[in-house]
């Protein structure tokens, strides 16, 4: 039992890093995702095409591959053009990778919210002289975000678990901490049971809160 308790403590040592990455990545995902959602609902074909391609590429490739390309591939490409560049901290690459990856999914969530807003309200806004920006800012966006809040919460919970792949670029989040302890002590079972328990302690309460919010709505 002592080893299992130790395993949980080791996993929790990386929880702060996991939550920091997740929190910032979700903010990045919401900002870019909103732009992507607007792009996909645009009447301008080239804008819609770029937004659609962006989503398809990011949703069609694993987060692990994206993180590796960003952390190792981008500096290599820049060096080929004699541009000196490297990530001072892997966590920066991890945050950007998670944020960009999340933006594709958030974009689809927000797009669904935008589509769910009653078209009658949009037509009414047009009739009183509101331009496109005013309609989006005052009528569509506030209602759409209210609709998608539960789904955005679920994206936050999902991203907490997906940050586990960032152990591949040496970020010492929950999974990486457990991997290092397991390698040093050869106590794989307590290490990864502790990892699983740590993720459950973080995600299950959040999931229950989101469920209650959905039912209240």
């Amino acid at each position: 039992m002592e080893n299992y308790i130790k395993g949980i403590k080791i996993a929790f040592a990386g929880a702060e890093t996991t939550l920091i990455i997740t929190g910032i990545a979700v903010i990045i995902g919401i900002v870019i995702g909103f732009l992507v959602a607007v792009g996909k609902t645009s009447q301008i074909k080239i804008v819609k095409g770029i937004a659609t391609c962006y989503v398809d590429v990011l949703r069609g490739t694993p987060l692990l591959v994206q993180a590796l390309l960003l952390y190792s591939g981008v500096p290599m490409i820049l060096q080929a053009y004699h541009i000196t560049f490297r990530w001072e901290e892997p966590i920066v690459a991890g945050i950007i990778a998670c944020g960009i990856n999340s933006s594709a999914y958030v974009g689809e969530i927000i797009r669904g919210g935008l589509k769910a807003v009653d078209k009658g309200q949009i037509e009414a806004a047009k009739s009183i002289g509101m331009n496109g920006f005013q309609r989006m800012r005052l009528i569509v966006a506030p209602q759409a975000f209210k609709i998608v809040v539960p789904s955005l919460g679920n994206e936050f919970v999902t991203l907490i678990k997906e940050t586990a792949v960032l152990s591949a670029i040496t970020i010492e989040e929950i999974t990486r901490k457990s991997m290092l302890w397991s390698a040093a002590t050869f106590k794989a079972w307590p290490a990864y049971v502790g990892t699983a328990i740590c993720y459950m302690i973080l995600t299950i309460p959040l999931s229950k809160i989101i469920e209650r919010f959905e039912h209240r709505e």
Side-chain angles (χ1 to χ4, degrees):
M1 178 60 79
E2 183 179 346
N3 286 332
Y4 289 96
I5 294 173
K6 178 69 172 177
I8 295 171
K9 288 181 178 179
I10 292 293
F12 264 105
E16 182 180 358
T17 300
T18 293
L19 292 175
I20 288 172
I21 292 171
T22 303
I24 299 175
V26 165
I27 293 171
I28 294 172
I30 290 173
V31 173
I32 300 177
F34 179 76
L35 298 176
V36 170
V38 172
K40 289 199 70 173
T41 57
S42 173
Q43 300 300 316
I44 304 172
K45 288 185 178 180
I46 188 170
V47 173
K48 186 174 183 178
I50 292 171
T52 300
C53 182
Y54 177 87
V55 171
D56 288 345
V57 169
L58 289 175
R59 294 181 69 180
T61 54
L63 173 57
L64 174 58
V65 174
Q66 294 165 15
L68 289 171
L69 284 172
L70 190 61
Y71 180 63
S72 301
V74 170
M76 187 177 296
I77 291 173
L78 293 177
Q79 285 176 7
Y81 291 94
H82 307 289
I83 300 173
T84 302
F85 178 86
R86 67 184 180 87
W87 298 107
E88 295 296 335
E89 294 291 341
I91 192 171
V92 177
I95 289 171
I96 295 172
C98 287
I100 292 175
N101 179 270
S102 180
S103 70
Y105 296 91
V106 171
E108 288 296 280
I109 291 169
I110 295 176
R111 184 178 67 86
L114 295 175
K115 290 288 187 181
V117 176
D118 186 4
K119 290 184 179 180
Q121 296 187 45
I122 299 173
E123 293 300 323
K126 287 181 181 179
S127 69
I128 61 173
M130 284 189 178
N131 59 37
F133 177 76
Q134 289 173 324
R135 292 195 300 271
M136 179 61 69
R137 182 172 65 88
L138 300 175
I139 305 297
V140 179
Q143 295 185 66
F145 272 109
K146 185 177 180 181
I147 293 168
V148 304
V149 162
S151 297
L152 292 177
N154 287 325
E155 172 64 15
F156 181 78
V157 171
T158 299
L159 198 55
I160 289 175
K161 294 178 289 184
E162 288 183 343
T163 56
V165 304
L166 299 180
S167 60
I169 59 172
T170 72
I171 295 176
E172 293 192 15
E173 39 65 68
I174 293 171
T175 302
R176 179 73 176 178
K177 288 285 189 182
S178 298
M179 290 172 65
L180 293 173
W181 186 64
S182 174
T185 63
F186 301 101
K187 296 174 181 176
W189 189 254
Y192 297 123
V193 167
T195 306
I197 291 172
C198 181
Y199 280 116
M200 286 191 292
I201 290 173
L202 291 176
T203 60
I204 291 176
L206 283 172
S207 298
K208 297 301 180 184
I209 291 170
I210 293 166
E211 285 178 11
R212 289 178 64 88
F213 183 85
E214 289 175 335
H215 293 321
R216 189 180 67 182
E217 291 294 314

